Amino acid sequence: MEDKRNIPIIEWEHLDKRKFYVFGICMTMMIRVSVYPFTLIRTRLQVQKGKSLYNGTFDAFVKILRTEGAAGLYRGFLVNTFTLISGQCYVTTYELTRKYVSRYNNNNAVKSLVAGGSASLVAQSITVPIDVVSQHLMMQRKGESMGRFKVQNQDGKRLLVFGQTKDIIVQIFRADGFRGFYRGYVASLLTYIPNSAVWWPFYHFYAEQLSSLTPKDCPHLLLQAISGPLAAATASTLTNPMDVVRARVQVEGKSSIILTFKQLIAEEGPWGLTKGLSARIISATPSTIVIVVGYETLKKLSLRPELVDSRHW
């Protein structure tokens, strides 16, 4: 039987790090701009009680666009861009951990599982304070707020973007002190570490399965572009219950993950755990395609000069 080819994986030591970081930041920024509206919609759907405001992803999109304009879909975006720092920390930790684990185990699934979980731990430690602030900004609707804090008006006019950010930061600090910026940290870890740890093995699993089912001349990037969204949908479905709890803990100021979970079940039943899932998958699908294809292309563009001609990537 003819052996099927393996999809080549470019490792950390093959990269020109300067190119890698410059290209990486540009690529991540483009992804953020395209999918941020669905991140905002997902958060609002997860926080709302039942269907008090929106009946679903499409309904939320139309209502926000109609009542708040296009700018309403990008509330908190500028603050959220600071997570670009955590994004670079994520990929660095992921690649370095893969390299370290390969000393003891060369199984790709094992390397991806450990590296994905470790990378998410590092990234969330940086991301959570930014997320807390940006999510409270996402909750600011026209003339009201869905969360605990409301941006104050000044002389009848709305504050400028970073004025709103400063206002939210002051309110969080007054209410909860420094700990307020890490509210939901454990819930975030319980959401994103499993999500990341599950995504990478499923990504490589789907890629390998598709590789065995497709003709040998099928482009690697096509297989990866299909595998990424499949892995994202799988990981999103498995971790969405904790993501709903995380959003409520951070926005509503709750202190207990267990009590928040019990309250959600009591008020909305098991279906409450699926809130925002469609918006999460919708935002994950195009972004994952770009991330996967872009990330693999990014690594190819960042290959050290002496390796460009010597390897068949």
Side-chain angles (χ1 to χ4, degrees):
M1 183 180 294
E2 184 182 7
D3 291 335
K4 300 298 288 185
R5 79 278 190 236
N6 292 321
I7 294 179
I9 297 174
I10 300 173
E11 300 289 3
W12 182 249
E13 60 270 20
H14 304 145
L15 302 177
D16 179 327
K17 309 305 187 294
R18 186 180 63 179
K19 288 182 182 178
F20 180 74
Y21 285 118
V22 172
F23 291 148
I25 290 173
C26 294
M27 183 188 77
T28 305
M29 191 63 183
M30 288 189 294
I31 295 169
R32 293 287 175 84
V33 171
S34 63
V35 304
Y36 188 81
F38 292 100
T39 301
L40 181 142
I41 289 169
R42 180 194 78 192
T43 304
R44 288 196 180 184
L45 289 174
Q46 290 175 336
V47 171
Q48 74 171 353
K49 303 298 182 183
K51 295 184 178 180
S52 57
L53 291 171
Y54 311 116
N55 292 320
T57 301
F58 181 73
D59 182 59
F61 182 86
V62 172
K63 284 181 177 176
I64 293 171
L65 197 59
R66 184 184 301 152
T67 59
E68 304 174 49
L73 294 168
Y74 283 90
R75 291 184 185 274
F77 176 73
L78 289 179
V79 175
N80 191 263
T81 58
F82 285 100
T83 57
L84 287 172
I85 299 169
S86 65
Q88 299 311 302
C89 291
Y90 178 94
V91 295
T92 302
T93 304
Y94 177 80
E95 295 292 349
L96 288 176
T97 304
R98 275 183 61 89
K99 182 179 178 181
Y100 178 79
V101 173
S102 65
R103 299 177 187 174
Y104 306 96
N105 191 314
N106 213 33
N107 182 281
N108 202 40
V110 172
K111 289 193 291 184
S112 298
L113 182 70
V114 176
S118 301
S120 192
L121 174 62
V122 171
Q124 285 307 303
S125 297
I126 301 169
T127 298
V128 169
I130 301 169
D131 260 353
V132 169
V133 176
S134 66
Q135 284 185 142
H136 280 295
L137 289 169
M138 289 179 193
M139 295 299 104
Q140 306 303 311
R141 298 173 66 235
K142 194 171 184 179
E144 57 183 316
S145 172
M146 294 174 63
R148 286 197 300 162
F149 307 120
K150 181 180 177 181
V151 172
Q152 304 298 316
N153 289 340
Q154 202 170 48
D155 298 328
K157 298 179 180 179
R158 292 187 60 80
L159 294 168
L160 294 175
V161 173
F162 284 107
Q164 295 177 19
T165 302
K166 179 182 176 182
D167 192 24
I168 289 293
I169 289 173
V170 169
Q171 291 183 62
I172 293 172
F173 188 76
R174 283 177 180 169
D176 302 320
F178 183 75
R179 290 177 60 185
F181 297 101
Y182 274 91
R183 185 176 292 278
Y185 177 66
V186 174
S188 291
L189 295 182
L190 292 176
T191 300
Y192 291 111
I193 289 180
N195 188 84
S196 182
V198 167
W199 189 91
W200 287 100
F202 269 111
Y203 164 58
H204 289 297
F205 169 77
Y206 288 132
E208 288 167 4
Q209 295 305 306
L210 288 171
S211 176
S212 67
L213 296 172
T214 54
K216 202 166 185 179
D217 58 354
C218 184
H220 295 155
L221 281 181
L222 178 59
L223 301 181
Q224 292 163 333
I226 297 172
S227 303
L230 289 175
T234 304
S236 295
T237 302
L238 293 174
T239 61
N240 198 71
M242 184 53 67
D243 193 41
V244 177
V245 173
R246 174 198 64 81
R248 294 201 167 193
V249 167
Q250 291 181 331
V251 173
E252 297 179 355
K254 299 182 182 296
S255 57
S256 172
I257 295 173
I258 295 174
L259 290 179
T260 303
F261 180 82
K262 287 181 177 178
Q263 183 182 5
L264 178 63
I265 293 294
E267 291 178 350
E268 305 187 40
W271 284 109
L273 299 174
T274 65
K275 291 170 76 87
L277 178 58
S278 60
R280 196 174 176 199
I281 292 177
I282 289 171
S283 66
T285 299
S287 63
T288 302
I289 292 173
V290 175
I291 288 170
V292 170
V293 176
Y295 188 59
E296 296 300 329
T297 304
L298 165 66
K299 292 208 290 185
K300 290 178 183 179
L301 292 173
S302 304
L303 274 171
R304 300 206 320 264
E306 66 272 20
L307 295 176
V308 173
D309 297 325
S310 61
R311 293 177 178 268
H312 299 291
W313 308 106

